[in-house]
Amino acid sequence: MRLPEGVSLLSFDKQKLGKIWEELRDFCWYLGEGSYADPVFFTKVFTAPDSLIFELPYGYMIAEKVKAGNRAEVHLPFTDHKLSAHSEAVRNALTWLFIEFDLRRVETTVYTFQKAVKRFLSNKIGFQHEGTFRKRALVRNEWRDVEIYGILREEIFNA
């Protein structure tokens, strides 16, 4: 299946990943538990055979731990902070990911203080809140709660 218009899949080129890391380094704290702020770790994770990076207008959809026939984890860093403007591109990229890898679910994690991101995931994309990991991640020297959101195959196709 072809990728949706406006979405491209990036090759695992370490130089390109270095440029992406430079662009996203201020957002790296939100991609995980702090180790993404290290460019070597960032490159290692995203050159793994089970990772994909989709380039969207003004941002990326990063899929990691993609297990064909099962699940994937995604991160959605947008450098322009205009989440709603990216709804169609994100939904199209997710649909492609579900079809191409025959996934049954996709999940993402969000810090509890990211209210706009949570609204975007729920209201615009169709993710469901599935739970909270209390004091899971150290962010700027403070332990923060992390919420998990998921979307099932039937939910992405029936929305």
Side-chain angles (χ1 to χ4, degrees):
M1 176 181 176
R2 273 186 13 177
L3 281 167
E5 190 172 325
V7 176
S8 60
L9 193 57
L10 298 179
S11 63
F12 295 122
D13 174 300
K14 288 184 181 186
Q15 185 175 6
K16 176 72 172 174
L17 280 174
K19 289 179 184 177
I20 293 171
W21 181 83
E22 286 289 329
E23 185 178 351
L24 298 179
R25 96 170 128 192
D26 292 338
F27 300 92
C28 283
W29 60 269
Y30 119 87
L31 288 174
E33 298 178 22
S35 40
Y36 290 94
D38 173 21
V40 174
F41 181 82
F42 182 91
T43 301
K44 181 179 176 185
V45 167
F46 298 116
T47 56
D50 61 354
S51 294
L52 301 163
I53 299 178
F54 298 85
E55 190 166 21
L56 308 172
Y58 304 105
Y60 303 92
M61 184 176 89
I62 301 168
E64 62 176 313
K65 300 175 185 150
V66 178
K67 305 291 183 223
N70 191 358
R71 60 179 284 278
E73 294 177 23
V74 298
H75 306 286
L76 299 165
F78 289 106
T79 55
D80 68 350
H81 304 288
K82 296 177 181 169
L83 298 172
S84 290
H86 304 295
S87 300
E88 185 176 352
V90 170
R91 287 191 61 73
N92 289 342
L94 280 170
T95 300
W96 183 88
L97 190 63
F98 269 101
I99 291 170
E100 193 66 25
F101 290 93
D102 191 30
L103 299 178
R104 63 181 179 83
R105 67 177 283 118
V106 170
E107 53 201 48
T108 190
T109 54
V110 181
Y111 294 109
T112 54
F113 59 83
Q114 293 178 294
K115 294 180 183 352
V117 174
K118 294 188 300 185
R119 280 191 310 272
F120 171 73
L121 290 170
S122 297
N123 300 340
K124 300 291 184 180
I125 307 301
F127 277 81
Q128 301 294 314
H129 180 262
E130 296 183 338
T132 303
F133 299 112
R134 296 177 301 144
K135 306 232 183 271
R136 170 111 185 234
L138 186 62
V139 177
R140 298 181 178 145
N141 296 318
E142 185 177 340
W143 287 100
R144 298 293 194 134
D145 293 349
V146 175
E147 297 180 34
I148 187 163
Y149 283 76
I151 190 165
L152 303 176
R153 181 181 188 88
E154 57 269 19
E155 293 167 339
I156 197 77
F157 292 116
N158 293 332

